[in-house]
Amino acid sequence: MSDVKILGLRELKKRETRQEISDKATRLFIEHGFEETTIAEIAEAARVAKKTVTNYFPRKEDLAFDHHEEFVTTLAEIVAGRSPGESALAALKRVFMEAAERQDPMLGFTRDGFARMIVESPTLVARLRELLEQREEALARVLAAETGGRAMVPRVVAAQLAAPYRVLLGQIMELTLEGLDNARIAEIVAESAREVFDLMEPAFGSYAVR
């Protein structure tokens, strides 16, 4: 077997182990609460050593938010990859509407008690807030690099452009806790998103057009 193939198999095994640990941790968090669940219990459920858990997830919170790196870069990547002639706002609106239609977890669509797990844990609420701030900062860096604007302007614009994603994530979680199914939530949130993005058009529709 070639070294490349061996390395590929090892990487696949690592990803599988990481996902298994995260899945087992999330189940325990939902059943018993985030604060109440220990790393030892997660390790036992995943059939790995405690050190293996902490090697893959240095922060306990990231066992719940296991795709946090992708979450943080989402808005920046949308803007960086927008089409010629498309503004940053138009790109963010287009991708949001597409993601709402497919009920994308990155927007906040969850199931099986995940939303309640978050809101009932002060630690996870704080971590989500931190990730939202990091996502806004990543967007600001892209806007600054592309527009050449003064440092403060891209930061202020990024805060405004990221706001619909942040606020509508909150709406999705609220509706989930009320017991609505994802299909109905997607309809409600899509309507909210259209109204919000349209209201922002006069102010930001011509900003950062590729």
Side-chain angles (χ1 to χ4, degrees):
M1 186 178 295
S2 70
D3 290 343
V4 173
K5 189 169 185 179
I6 291 172
L7 289 172
L9 290 173
R10 286 177 180 169
E11 186 59 34
L12 177 60
K13 179 61 177 176
K14 286 181 180 179
R15 288 200 298 267
E16 290 175 345
T17 300
R18 187 181 191 279
Q19 190 62 54
E20 177 70 7
I21 293 170
S22 176
D23 289 346
K24 289 293 192 293
T26 301
R27 179 179 60 78
L28 290 172
F29 295 155
I30 290 172
E31 291 177 356
H32 306 295
F34 177 81
E35 270 75 20
E36 292 74 14
T37 302
T38 67
I39 297 298
E41 290 169 336
I42 294 166
E44 182 180 0
R47 298 183 180 181
V48 297
K50 285 176 60 177
K51 186 170 180 58
T52 301
V53 175
T54 56
N55 281 342
Y56 280 101
F57 299 94
R59 295 182 62 160
K60 182 182 175 185
E61 302 95 301
D62 293 335
L63 284 156
F65 298 120
D66 58 321
H67 296 289
H68 63 278
E69 297 98 338
E70 181 183 351
F71 181 84
V72 165
T73 61
T74 298
L75 304 189
E77 290 178 351
I78 290 169
V79 171
R82 67 196 184 282
S83 303
E86 190 174 37
S87 69
L89 176 66
L92 290 167
K93 177 183 179 181
R94 171 178 55 78
V95 173
F96 187 97
M97 301 307 295
E98 293 169 353
E101 185 175 0
R102 65 175 181 270
Q103 300 166 24
D104 193 329
M106 284 293 165
L107 290 189
F109 287 93
T110 60
R111 59 177 64 125
D112 301 329
F114 190 88
R116 189 168 300 282
M117 173 195 76
I118 295 173
V119 300
E120 291 182 350
S121 166
T123 304
L124 291 180
V125 169
R127 178 55 173 158
L128 178 57
R129 187 178 300 117
E130 182 181 13
L131 293 173
L132 289 167
E133 290 174 354
Q134 291 175 5
R135 185 169 69 171
E136 182 182 310
E137 291 165 3
L139 175 59
R141 287 193 293 272
V142 169
L143 292 173
E146 295 207 4
T147 64
R150 289 178 297 175
M152 190 56 62
V153 173
R155 287 172 60 187
V156 171
V157 174
Q160 299 301 312
L161 296 182
Y165 278 76
R166 174 176 53 80
V167 174
L168 293 171
L169 182 151
Q171 184 184 35
I172 291 169
M173 293 184 68
E174 290 171 3
L175 295 172
T176 299
L177 293 174
E178 290 175 11
L180 277 68
D181 62 37
N182 279 347
R184 179 57 183 144
I185 293 172
E187 294 176 358
I188 294 171
V189 171
E191 182 177 351
S192 297
R194 277 190 289 269
E195 182 176 3
V196 169
F197 281 111
D198 287 349
L199 283 171
M200 296 174 70
E201 179 65 28
F204 300 105
S206 60
Y207 180 82
V209 176
R210 168 154 287 178

